[in-house]
């Protein structure tokens, strides 16, 4: 199935695919109602992950069981492939790390999103430790080039057109060394990397974080991190409260963060490693 470019008819195309195809036109050889091109024809079939792509005369038929399957079908049509396949995954996504060096430009994030859509991805986690501009916190992400609220909304709007859910992937305990190096945050610092648990000023800061993402993303899911907080309770926390079982400290903190998320109508998730480590006498990840 060879094709130099593809066409589509807005009047005969499912509504959810119209904005997606419009985004793809920015980069790929896809045009609206171009008579010289092979035409994409879409039809729904049973089975959420079902997908069939086949050429017939001057048409390329894409039979899909879900929006992400339909988008993947466009990618396969662009590659000139006939396919009869099925996927058992309802959600498939990546986490893009934007906490190392400079953040990715919004224009390049959009480029990633177009490619992800064409591969059938429907979830995009944006990992930002302190690389977003938190109102009222000038030292949060200072000199790190963080995303503004307007930029986050632009990414979210574009991803939604492509059928992709953008989920914030942040940190609310460990991995906060870039922020905690500033004296401004000494009152919420346990160790060099870990926020001070059981401290109201910590939860006031976390409320601002959660509120930022709740306001600027449409999803009601959020990832609040909490991984690799290895020295939790071993710094300033110990000076203030003494030596306490790390499991108890972690669990109390998790409950407070969950409460903040729920107050914004958000459903939080965390990395699982700390519970495995805390349940192991040697504090290792694996306990045979």
């Amino acid at each position: 199935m060879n094709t130099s470019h593809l066409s589509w008819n807005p009047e005969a195309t499912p509504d959810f695919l119209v904005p997606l195809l419009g985004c793809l036109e920015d980069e790929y050889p896809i045009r609206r109602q171009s008579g010289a091109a092979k035409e994409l024809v879409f039809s729904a079939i049973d089975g959420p992950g079902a997908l069939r792509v086949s050429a017939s005369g001057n048409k390329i038929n894409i039979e899909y069981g879900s929006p992400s399957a339909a988008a993947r079908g466009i990618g396969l049509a662009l590659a000139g492939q006939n396919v009869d396949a099925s996927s058992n995954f309802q959600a498939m996504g990546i986490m893009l790390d934007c906490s190392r060096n400079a953040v990715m430009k919004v224009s390049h994030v959009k480029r990633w999103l177009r490619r992800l859509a064409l591969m059938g991805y429907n979830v995009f986690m944006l990992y930002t430790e302190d690389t977003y501009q938190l109102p009222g916190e000038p030292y949060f992400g200072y000199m790190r080039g963080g995303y503004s609220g307007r930029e986050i909304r632009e990414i979210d709007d574009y991803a939604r057109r492509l059928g992709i859910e953008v989920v914030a992937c942040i940190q609310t305990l460990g991995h906060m060394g870039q922020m905690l190096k500033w004296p401004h945050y000494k009152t919420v610092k346990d160790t060099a990397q870990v926020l001070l648990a059981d401290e109201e000023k910590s939860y006031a800061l976390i409320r601002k974080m959660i509120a930022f993402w709740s306001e600027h993303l449409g999803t009601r899911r959020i990832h609040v991190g909490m991984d690799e907080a290895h020295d939790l309770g071993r710094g300033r926390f110990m000076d203030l409260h003494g030596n306490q079982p790390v499991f108890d400290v972690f669990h109390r903190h998790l409950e407070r963060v969950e409460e903040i998320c729920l107050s914004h109508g958000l459903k939080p998730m965390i990395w699982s490693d700390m519970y495995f480590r805390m349940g192991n006498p040697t504090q290792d990840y694996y306990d045979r």
Side-chain angles (χ1 to χ4, degrees):
M1 184 172 68
N2 296 319
T3 180
S4 58
H5 63 286
L6 306 174
S7 69
W8 59 286
N9 182 352
E11 295 181 0
T13 298
D15 290 343
F16 72 89
L17 284 172
V18 171
L20 181 145
L21 286 160
C23 291
L24 295 178
E25 286 181 342
D26 294 340
E27 183 176 359
Y28 295 98
I30 301 174
R31 300 293 178 264
R32 304 178 191 220
Q33 295 178 315
S34 176
K38 286 185 176 291
E39 182 181 351
L40 297 172
V41 178
F42 300 91
S43 56
I45 56 176
D46 292 333
L51 174 62
R52 289 196 291 267
V53 181
S54 59
S56 176
N58 201 40
K59 297 183 183 301
I60 298 176
N61 300 303
I62 298 178
E63 301 171 90
Y64 61 91
S66 67
S68 58
R72 180 168 175 248
I74 298 170
L76 292 165
L78 282 165
Q81 295 185 21
N82 291 309
V83 172
D84 188 346
S86 182
S87 171
N88 292 322
F89 295 100
Q90 293 182 353
M92 186 166 69
I94 69 164
M95 185 196 80
L96 189 67
D97 189 342
C98 287
S99 291
R100 306 292 172 262
N101 304 316
V103 301
M104 190 176 288
K105 290 183 178 180
V106 172
S107 59
H108 197 67
V109 173
K110 291 179 179 180
R111 190 180 181 201
W112 271 73
L113 289 168
R114 290 192 293 268
R115 282 152 177 72
L116 291 172
L118 291 175
M119 291 189 288
Y121 285 76
N122 56 11
V123 177
F124 178 77
M125 286 188 171
L126 195 61
Y127 181 71
T128 50
E129 293 170 353
D130 67 327
T131 48
Y132 54 99
Q133 298 174 17
L134 200 59
E137 298 291 335
Y139 284 97
F140 186 92
Y142 180 65
M143 298 293 287
R144 295 263 280 156
Y147 291 115
S148 67
R150 179 190 58 77
E151 288 172 323
I152 294 297
R153 278 187 174 153
E154 185 177 349
I155 291 170
D156 191 42
D157 290 344
Y158 196 82
R160 191 177 300 112
R161 292 168 63 190
L162 291 164
I164 296 175
E165 174 192 14
V166 178
V167 178
C169 192
I170 64 172
Q171 291 291 349
T172 55
L173 185 58
H175 283 285
M176 296 303 292
Q178 287 293 330
M179 182 200 80
L180 292 172
K181 69 184 180 183
W182 302 113
H184 180 78
Y185 288 110
K186 64 181 180 180
T187 59
V188 297
K189 179 178 180 178
D190 182 4
T191 67
Q193 293 288 332
V194 179
L195 286 171
L196 182 60
D198 294 346
E199 168 57 52
E200 289 305 317
K201 290 181 180 178
S202 296
Y203 300 112
L205 179 63
I206 292 170
R207 284 190 192 94
K208 290 183 179 181
M209 300 178 191
I210 303 300
F212 174 91
W213 291 102
S214 176
E215 178 183 351
H216 294 102
L217 290 181
T219 184
R220 293 297 86 192
R221 297 199 295 165
I222 188 170
H223 200 302
V224 293
M226 297 204 185
D227 61 309
E228 298 182 341
H230 303 312
D231 47 359
L232 171 65
R234 299 293 185 264
R236 187 161 173 262
F237 180 93
M238 188 177 288
D239 295 337
L240 294 171
H241 307 293
N243 188 11
Q244 296 188 20
V246 66
F247 181 94
D248 295 344
V249 179
F250 185 90
H251 201 69
R252 285 199 305 271
H253 184 76
L254 176 61
E255 287 184 326
R256 289 294 302 270
V257 175
E258 180 189 27
E259 179 184 327
I260 294 169
C261 291
L262 294 177
S263 71
H264 287 277
L266 296 172
K267 183 177 181 180
M269 59 190 108
I270 65 169
W271 303 114
S272 63
D273 63 306
M274 285 300 293
Y275 277 115
F276 285 102
R277 292 177 65 93
M278 291 185 296
N280 184 348
T282 64
Q283 290 287 297
D284 202 357
Y285 281 112
Y286 303 103
D287 184 355
R288 295 184 183 277

